[in-house]
Amino acid sequence: MVFGKGTPLLVGAVIVACVVLVGPSAPGDGPPGRSLPADAARDVVPNRVMTWNICNPCESSDVDRAAEIATYAPQVIGLQEACVGDVERIRDRLESLYGLVYHVEYGSVLRNWGRCGGAPWSPGAYGQAVLSAAPMTDRVNVEYPDGGSEDRGYMAVTTMVGGRSVRVFNTHLAERRQEPVRARQTGVLAAEVARHDRVIVLGDFNAVPDAPELAPMWELAADADPRCRPSNAGSCEPTTDWRSRFDYIFLRGVTPLDHRVRPTPYSDHDMLYADLD
């Protein structure tokens, strides 16, 4: 081939054009994955459920998020502050890197370019998601009438945990210092939870155990930690970086066997999981 004096400029222009067309690497692309601890679960634990606010927007890799989940391999996972794109990548990596296959349902309540990226005219969907090793049916997605400073809602699905059918809810209540809004939200959620005999409610409630706005939930359900209740709030293990208990696994008609709070560097919330009878 014969190259003229303008070749370097032409090559540079082509490179710039490719970058523009392809775009930068997607958030969370990261390295191929990281090894799991020696005591990590080897397969999905059929009676284990988890709740985790994965923090968006945060500079966490979806590869690392997937590895955190794979360490405990719950049957059902409720994610909050979840962008659809992040959940898709987490789910893909759980399967490709760790052999864990999950179905997914979304409970998005808004589209937010600042949190989830995407094209400015078509921002990514944001809200809740449920991953389940068993198929899910009867999904509902409800936006609270008043979300507070940001749209919030709950989603619900029916799936299998420990070989039995159960209704699973996943929610994220209004931010701190919005107690009246959260009180209205828990009223909406509790009214639907009361319709079912076997229920697991996962979520970030943004309220400590003895907060008045959680009263409707305590009337219907117990936390996976039997010691954690409003009258004994000091026994509730914190689940956030600011050492408050905001995340819960509420159980109705389901008996807990064990529970764990697992600190993680990839969110401002810890992972909370429970093994159920």
Side-chain angles (χ1 to χ4, degrees), residues 1 21 48 59 73 88 105 186 217 228 232 261:
M1 292 185 181
L21 289 172
R48 179 170 293 172
E59 298 299 322
E88 288 175 344
E105 294 286 355
T186 52
M217 290 304 305
C228 183
N232 194 28
V261 175

Side-chain angles (χ1 to χ4, degrees), residues 117-168:
W121 56 89
S122 181
Y126 171 82
Q128 287 75 246
V130 171
L131 282 70
S132 174
M136 293 175 276
T137 60
D138 304 319
R139 182 190 71 92
V140 299
N141 184 31
V142 176
E143 185 175 334
Y144 292 124
D146 183 359
S149 57
E150 179 180 82
D151 294 347
R152 296 289 164 91
Y154 75 81
M155 62 178 296
V157 298
T158 298
T159 190
M160 303 293 288
V161 175
R164 297 188 64 187
S165 178
V166 63
R167 192 68 171 162
V168 176

Side-chain angles (χ1 to χ4, degrees), residues 239-268:
T239 60
T240 67
D241 284 357
W242 46 96
R243 311 325 298 153
S244 295
R245 176 63 179 269
F246 281 178
D247 305 271
Y248 298 87
I249 298 176
F250 283 113
L251 304 174
R252 175 177 167 87
V254 181
T255 303
L257 295 176
D258 195 12
H259 73 282
R260 290 286 186 275
V261 175
R262 293 304 189 192
T264 171
Y266 305 113
S267 174
D268 54 3

